Amino acid sequence: MTLRVRLEEGEPLELRLDRFDGGYRFSLGDAEECTASVEAVEPGIYSVLVDGRSYEVKIVPGQDNWYVDVRGKHIAVEIADPRDASTKTDGVPANGPCKVAAQMPGKVVRVLVVQGDLVEAGQSLVVVEAMKMQNELKAPKSGRVVAMLAREGASIAPGEVLAAIE
């Protein structure tokens, strides 16, 4: 999968990320591809082994981005999936379907609405556990749920569409 990532106030970079049995393969921008294994130490804190080097990484969700603490640095990170119709209200189409997608890998804990339900903007649709925290994905606009693809207990990938509202 490919995501668009902006570190702090820098230029957007392309992050290519693929999961495999032993961990992840990734590259950022023009950098060479690396492999990493990731283990959750506690909620929001990970032990990451990249090409033989070990890092403790703390990830904290912010209002519009993520904050990553690694090796004494506190880095603001914006992540955008080009396939994702944003779950924010900015740029949400007034007409036509609007997709709600996972922002990071996780597991669906609860599905709160079903296909055909009428929802209001900001209403919770799905509860996802990611990084040992539960997050509610909310409707970006009012409308009818035309597709509910999320299933309780299912593992999800970043950018995976979980619901569509029209």
Side-chain angles (χ1 to χ4, degrees):
M1 114 179 28
T2 302
L3 302 170
R4 198 171 311 114
V5 177
R6 182 189 313 263
L7 305 176
E8 301 288 9
E9 298 299 319
E11 292 297 313
L13 297 169
E14 191 173 86
L15 171 66
R16 288 167 299 287
L17 178 68
D18 294 301
R19 189 173 189 164
F20 66 97
D21 289 340
Y24 296 89
R25 270 188 290 276
F26 69 95
S27 63
L28 183 61
D30 295 330
E32 221 173 279
E33 185 176 89
C34 297
T35 59
S37 65
V38 180
E39 295 292 328
V41 175
E42 58 185 71
I45 299 178
Y46 299 87
S47 174
V48 179
L49 187 62
V50 179
D51 293 335
R53 297 178 112 180
S54 180
Y55 302 91
E56 181 178 281
V57 178
K58 181 178 180 183
I59 301 175
V60 180
Q63 185 159 343
D64 293 325
N65 55 11
W66 299 90
Y67 293 95
V68 178
D69 293 339
V70 61
R71 299 182 81 187
K73 295 182 180 177
H74 184 72
I75 305 164
V77 179
E78 291 178 36
I79 302 172
D81 185 341
R83 302 168 300 171
D84 180 17
S86 176
T87 57
K88 298 176 187 173
T89 55
D90 297 343
V92 172
N95 298 318
C98 177
K99 297 175 184 173
V100 177
Q103 297 299 310
M104 60 190 322
K107 181 179 179 180
V108 176
V109 177
R110 282 192 317 270
V111 177
L112 304 171
V113 298
V114 296
Q115 186 170 328
D117 283 356
L118 291 174
V119 295
E120 295 295 321
Q123 181 178 337
S124 295
L125 305 173
V126 179
V127 179
V128 173
E129 182 177 286
M131 298 187 304
K132 305 291 183 191
M133 298 186 329
Q134 290 191 359
N135 302 291
E136 292 183 7
L137 300 182
K138 300 179 187 244
K141 69 176 191 175
S142 297
R144 182 176 305 278
V145 178
V146 293
M148 178 49 70
L149 305 171
R151 300 288 175 254
E152 287 186 17
S155 293
I156 56 172
E160 185 172 334
V161 176
L162 304 177
I165 300 169
E166 193 168 73

